[in-house]
Amino acid sequence: MFLINCPFCGEREQSEFKAGGEAHIVRPKQPTELSDDEWAEYLFMRKNIKGVQFERWNHVHGCRKWFNMVRDTSNDQIKAVYKMGEKPPVK
Amino acid sequence: MKNKYSIFSLIKNAFSYHENWEKAWKDPEPKKEYDAVIVGGGGHGLATAYYLAKKHNMKNIAVVEKGWIGGGNTGRNTTIIRSNYLWDASAGLYDHALKIWEGLSQELNYNVMFSQRGVMNLAHNLQDVRDLKRRTHANRLNGIDAVYLNTEEVKKFCPIINTSQDIRYPVLGGTLQRRAGTARHDAVAWGYARGADEMGVDIIQNCEVKGIKRNGDTVEGIETTKGFIKTKKIGVVAAGHSSVIANMAGLKLPLESKPLQALVSEPVKPVIDTVVMSNAVHAYVSQSDKGELVIGAGTDDYVSYSQKGSHDIVEGTLNAILELYPIFSRMRMLRQWGGIVDICPDASPIISKTSIKGLYFNCGWGTGGFKATPGSGDLFAHTIANDEPHKLNAAFNINRFVSGDLVDEHGAAAVAH
């Protein structure tokens, strides 16, 4: 349970949001050229980091907009929140 | 040879105030080299070591555990055991485990308190009814006992359920697997640990894996907080931390680790003598031998290793529990906790070799690994010893995410994952 600072609405309870998994996984530009291994990598394989992770969230019970978050998964502390398309503010 | 536990040993030790019981397992320092090292001293890891020693005659093996044995998800689950899975591959896997459970206390000479009190899964809408009937038929074709119950039969089997048709999600029916039930989770870890220790397995606690040493595509050993251990075979059974270990070896797994919560109430007199699970409203409940209601909640949808979880998940589960069991409305909850579960995209486990020779993974059990403990250990031991899967875990290889041959138990497995 934690508070999330939605870049559009401000600070709200985490229960208003839906997690969307790992961020910055680039959709293949030429899907027809992809091998089975590359498809598996894109669709299923995840870093699943214990520590600082980049992820996507959606404010489903608010503005319904997607945004990115940098969060430490070992203690649920949020390091930064930034809009889609923006560069992450922390490394 | 360890002394056998029996009524006589109990009486004998009573005369010395139970102060002279033999240690159930040693607490050794790691040797320089082992034939195989199991990473993770939970039920699955200890069972793997036990069957490696017992069935595959590998005696020079170690189990390394970063905390204490059985202190992770083995000690955090709701102890439900069943095998009523939809697909053939899952049915084979989970019923293999259930058959071992049925003789486990005798085999280990350790009372795991396996209680076949039945597991009932409820249907709350027409689609649930269709799905549950379909699963009942699939189970019976696979030789797994299953019956479909209508609303009156549900009420008769578990009288405290509110079967009024006026509630938000009325009970329309349910399935019952009578061979299913519960067991004492700690005893499973301790029983396997004692059995493995007796056959010469070193159980090394407070020993965290820090790295995996590779020579090209072959493993050479593990770096731990107690030094380097040389070995040709590493079996990783680290549940929520599987990806962390995989990353050390330069592998990526199709897993996400999420908090799953459970809670128990204050102890009361016997009130529910079976296990009732509801997928649609997400409420599981059974009663422990101490009298506490054991309640399983759902997973949070974000990756976390914090062993906590969100309050609204627990609130949602308790809302459902109260509608189904109005009798519990004044019960107080005593404890709540979270475990970190590693969930596969198809909600089925991975018991498999990897692209690195000598590195094996047993992971992805997600929210339902406890029930499979004996079967998982047996099949993983087979996979490690022979460098080939057993026919029962062949479908659960890691390459299914490349071939697309998934074992999709999301929703099909009687509960939501």
Side-chain angles (χ1 to χ4, degrees):
Chain A
M1 190 84 179
F2 40 87
L3 294 171
I4 294 174
N5 192 12
C6 171
F8 306 98
C9 311
E11 205 167 68
R12 300 292 167 87
E13 277 187 23
Q14 171 260 321
S15 56
E16 288 188 17
F17 297 81
K18 174 107 181 106
E22 193 178 318
H24 306 300
I25 297 175
V26 183
R27 180 181 283 268
K29 288 213 168 61
Q30 289 285 347
T32 49
E33 313 268 298
L34 246 51
S35 69
D36 288 352
D37 280 321
E38 287 165 330
W39 268 121
E41 180 73 21
Y42 168 67
L43 283 174
F44 298 127
M45 300 303 164
R46 295 292 177 262
K47 289 183 193 148
N48 196 23
I49 293 166
K50 182 180 186 180
V52 176
Q53 164 158 299
F54 296 85
E55 44 195 33
R56 300 176 306 168
W57 284 73
N58 186 353
H59 194 184
V60 279
H61 300 297
C63 62
R64 303 187 68 190
K65 286 195 177 108
W66 285 93
F67 59 94
N68 290 317
M69 187 191 288
V70 189
R71 192 172 56 95
D72 189 333
T73 60
S74 64
N75 56 17
D76 293 336
Q77 274 184 9
I78 298 168
K79 304 284 180 198
V81 170
Y82 55 104
K83 290 179 185 171
M84 283 289 166
E86 287 179 0
K87 284 225 166 105
V90 286
K91 274 225 159 165
Chain B
M1 188 68 190
K2 283 194 164 54
N3 292 323
K4 210 167 160 2
Y5 290 155
S6 67
I7 183 75
F8 304 107
S9 70
L10 194 63
I11 294 166
K12 188 178 142 212
N13 279 281
F15 284 111
S16 54
Y17 303 97
H18 296 292
E19 283 170 355
N20 296 321
W21 283 100
E22 182 188 22
K23 265 194 166 182
W25 56 85
K26 298 179 286 292
D27 200 12
E29 286 302 306
K31 289 191 257 179
K32 284 206 169 64
E33 184 175 358
Y34 290 97
D35 294 338
V37 173
I38 306 300
V39 179
H44 290 240
L46 293 163
T48 304
Y50 174 84
Y51 291 113
L52 272 174
K54 189 177 178 194
K55 292 171 87 167
H56 305 283
N57 210 26
M58 289 176 70
K59 306 291 185 197
N60 185 29
I61 50 182
V63 178
V64 294
E65 163 58 46
K66 84 172 163 184
W68 61 96
I69 60 167
N73 292 352
T74 300
R76 290 165 187 269
N77 63 85
T78 51
T79 78
I80 298 168
I81 295 162
R82 60 187 178 86
S83 64
N84 54 352
Y85 280 68
L86 177 69
W87 301 114
D88 294 351
S90 317
L93 178 68
Y94 291 102
D95 210 49
H96 177 62
L98 184 48
K99 281 178 189 140
I100 303 177
W101 277 116
E102 285 172 333
L104 193 62
S105 292
Q106 282 72 26
E107 181 183 341
L108 294 177
N109 178 229
Y110 204 101
N111 188 2
V112 299
M113 295 163 76
F114 181 49
S115 158
Q116 291 178 296
R117 58 184 68 183
V119 168
M120 192 158 68
N121 296 98
L122 300 179
H124 299 278
N125 56 50
L126 268 181
Q127 190 57 44
D128 277 359
V129 171
R130 292 187 196 111
D131 286 345
L132 262 55
K133 282 186 175 168
R134 178 192 178 202
R135 184 168 51 70
T136 307
H137 294 314
N139 289 160
R140 291 167 79 152
L141 286 170
N142 277 319
I144 293 169
D145 69 305
V147 285
Y148 186 82
L149 307 178
N150 62 28
T151 309
E152 291 72 43
E153 290 165 329
V154 167
K155 181 81 179 169
K156 201 173 165 209
F157 190 70
C158 183
I160 61 167
I161 293 184
N162 178 9
T163 50
S164 158
Q165 296 301 297
D166 298 335
I167 62 177
R168 177 69 184 81
Y169 298 102
V171 175
L172 300 185
T175 64
L176 175 62
Q177 184 180 20
R178 289 184 190 277
R179 282 165 65 229
T182 59
R184 170 95 172 98
H185 47 10
D186 295 325
V188 180
W190 298 337
Y192 274 121
R194 178 168 171 263
D197 182 87
E198 185 174 358
M199 290 182 285
V201 174
D202 279 355
I203 296 165
I204 304 157
Q205 304 183 78
N206 297 311
C207 181
E208 184 176 352
V209 174
K210 290 292 188 187
I212 289 179
K213 196 173 170 210
R214 286 168 56 177
N215 179 9
D217 277 342
T218 311
V219 294
E220 289 193 325
I222 53 169
E223 294 287 353
T224 73
T225 48
K226 292 193 174 183
F228 180 72
I229 302 173
K230 196 175 162 192
T231 185
K232 287 196 181 73
K233 291 187 178 210
I234 304 170
V236 183
V237 207
H241 282 70
S242 298
S243 296
V244 176
I245 308 279
N247 291 344
M248 290 174 189
L251 280 183
K252 245 162 124 184
L253 294 172
L255 297 175
E256 287 194 310
S257 297
K258 297 176 176 179
L260 174 65
Q261 297 177 78
L263 56 162
V264 294
S265 72
E266 58 190 333
V268 290
K269 286 185 177 177
V271 64
I272 178 165
D273 63 355
T274 183
V275 182
V276 185
M277 311 177 75
S278 168
N279 182 3
V281 298
H282 213 289
Y284 317 159
V285 65
S286 63
Q287 193 171 16
S288 73
D289 293 347
K290 280 189 284 183
E292 300 160 327
L293 296 180
V294 182
I295 294 169
T299 44
D300 277 291
D301 64 351
Y302 54 86
V303 170
S304 177
Y305 289 83
S306 67
Q307 290 188 329
K308 283 186 266 189
S310 305
H311 182 70
D312 56 300
I313 299 280
V314 170
E315 196 177 6
T317 291
L318 288 178
N319 285 344
I321 292 275
L322 287 191
E323 187 168 73
L324 278 174
Y325 312 93
I327 190 176
F328 296 152
S329 66
R330 287 177 212 171
M331 296 266 299
R332 283 163 296 187
M333 293 299 143
L334 273 193
R335 298 191 301 280
Q336 168 275 347
W337 64 92
I340 301 305
V341 297
D342 44 329
I343 301 177
C344 264
D346 60 355
S348 285
I350 296 167
I351 312 171
S352 178
K353 301 203 282 185
T354 63
S355 54
I356 300 166
K357 193 168 161 41
L359 184 63
Y360 306 84
F361 269 88
N362 183 353
C363 59
W365 289 96
T367 61
F370 176 73
K371 66 173 81 69
T373 305
S376 155
D378 183 31
L379 299 172
F380 195 42
H382 181 100
T383 308
I384 293 173
N386 299 305
D387 198 36
E388 279 301 325
H390 188 276
K391 68 178 192 314
L392 285 174
N393 69 309
F396 298 96
N397 66 69
I398 202 163
N399 283 330
R400 72 179 189 268
F401 297 97
V402 176
S403 70
D405 191 10
L406 304 180
V407 188
D408 188 6
E409 287 288 356
H410 262 297
V415 291
H417 289 270

